[in-house]
Amino acid sequence: MKIAVVGGGPAGLRAAEVAAEAGATVTVYEKQPSVGRKFLVAGHGGLNLTHAEPFDRFVRRYLGSYPDGLWHSLLSDFDNHALRDWARGLGVETFAASTGRVYPTALKAAPLLRRWVERLRRLGVTLAPRHEWESLAPCPGGGWQLHFSNRPEPVHADAVILALGGASRPETGSDGRWTTRLPGIPVTPFVPSNCGWEIDWPPALLEAAEGKPLKNIVATAGNHSIASELMITRYGLEGGAIYALGAILRTQGEPALTIDLKPSFTIERLLSKMQALPRGASLLEMARQRWKLSEAAFALLAHFGNTVDLPSLAASVKAIRLRLLRPRPIEEAISSAGGIPWSELTDALMLKRLPGVFVAGEMIDWDAPTGGYLLQGCFATGTRAGRSAAEWASRLSFPG
């Protein structure tokens, strides 16, 4: 039974691994000169493989319109414990940071990828780089023909796994152009996710705070709040808080973020720290000192706070409201939302309109925050697609 995997990112490589372990003859076709480009990009931050939080909370991190229980089922096939065991099986130990994020002990992606590729080769998986997929068509006798731009003859496979990614970080190969190569398959347009947002900052604020962090803050969008960090940039805001709230912000006609600069302090406590001010003292300057405001926090308070009187200033510290313009371009985003709707897929992750063609990873319309959930989602969907494709190809090769 022959299986073609198109796309050599984490989801595609995991699908290839699972299918090969099931006895299939697997070839991974990748348009880049080597596989795992996006995996290596994730390694720039230490390679956040997964998260150590309990399963019931983990499952709720996945966003989008999907059938009830779907992510529970997918993650049950290959959860955060299984992913850590998988890495250990490659000789790579992991640890959970104080945040719950799980990393390789060496904080590097390259050694893990190298050992993974070695395992794939031992399993008999063929890696075919510099193969850009163009189209596929059903074979009269069953299976599929795949056409590649640099290959004159089509490739035949009993089953196909497409793992071509979303539309973020196109330099790694996931440019989203596959959407025009699956005629008849509806695709939800891609949008940037886990990305910065633009703000029209006053020049004076940038002069004082560009590149400065906002630590230990609580950010709120709509009815959703997150305790995390932000960074003031020349174009707006970056950081975990705004990444986590991006899905909410995208639904707002006039996106806005409210920041509590001192979440561990009540207004009453802030006011108590401002008693007995020196005669003629600047209210803002005393607030900086007594409330221990960082440079970035003080800049926000100075430009967006209500400085009419002390109660108003204290209330502002607890609720700095910022109007956002737009998310940063999708090319800069860590991930993308959009893709093939779940309604187009079976539980086996097979395209209902193309029997024998399976999909995995960010090709599917799902979203998740940073923190290990993105890679875990790719590994889980890759596991399901690889297993399903092997079962399909087995039935095709040995009918009855």
Side-chain angles (χ1 to χ4, degrees), residues 21-106:
E21 288 174 340
T25 300
V26 182
T27 301
V28 178
Y29 298 94
E30 166 60 47
K31 73 176 180 180
Q32 297 292 325
S34 59
V35 299
R37 293 294 181 96
K38 207 161 192 178
F39 196 70
L40 293 176
V41 167
H44 293 167
L47 191 62
N48 183 191
L49 277 172
T50 186
H51 201 283
E53 70 182 352
F55 188 84
D56 60 337
R57 289 174 57 192
F58 204 115
V59 172
R60 295 198 297 269
R61 303 297 183 181
Y62 293 88
L63 309 174
S65 300
Y66 53 85
D68 289 343
L70 177 75
W71 276 105
H72 188 285
S73 174
L74 289 169
L75 293 171
S76 294
D77 285 355
F78 197 78
D79 64 8
N80 49 356
H81 299 290
L83 183 46
R84 296 184 73 176
D85 289 341
W86 170 85
R88 186 178 299 112
L90 289 170
V92 175
E93 293 297 327
T94 60
F95 73 97
S98 59
T99 59
R101 297 184 179 210
V102 174
Y103 300 90
T105 302

Side-chain angles (χ1 to χ4, degrees), residues 113-189:
L113 178 61
R114 184 167 57 249
R115 295 182 185 193
W116 193 6
V117 168
E118 290 170 358
R119 172 187 282 179
L120 290 170
R121 286 177 171 146
R122 288 196 302 271
L123 287 169
V125 174
T126 300
L127 302 180
R130 296 186 173 88
H131 276 70
E132 183 167 3
W133 173 71
E134 288 190 328
S135 63
L136 77 169
C139 295
W144 292 87
Q145 283 188 346
L146 296 93
H147 297 265
F148 297 90
S149 60
N150 63 331
R151 192 173 186 136
E153 297 297 324
V155 170
H156 175 268
D158 298 315
V160 176
I161 302 170
L162 300 177
L164 291 155
S168 65
R169 302 290 176 87
E171 71 276 8
T172 66
S174 57
D175 54 21
R177 289 192 292 177
W178 58 264
T179 57
T180 63
R181 298 170 186 175
L182 284 173
I185 305 298
V187 177
T188 304

Side-chain angles (χ1 to χ4, degrees), residues 181-197:
R181 298 170 186 175
L182 284 173
I185 305 298
V187 177
T188 304
F190 285 116
V191 292
S193 179
N194 291 300
C195 64
W197 281 69

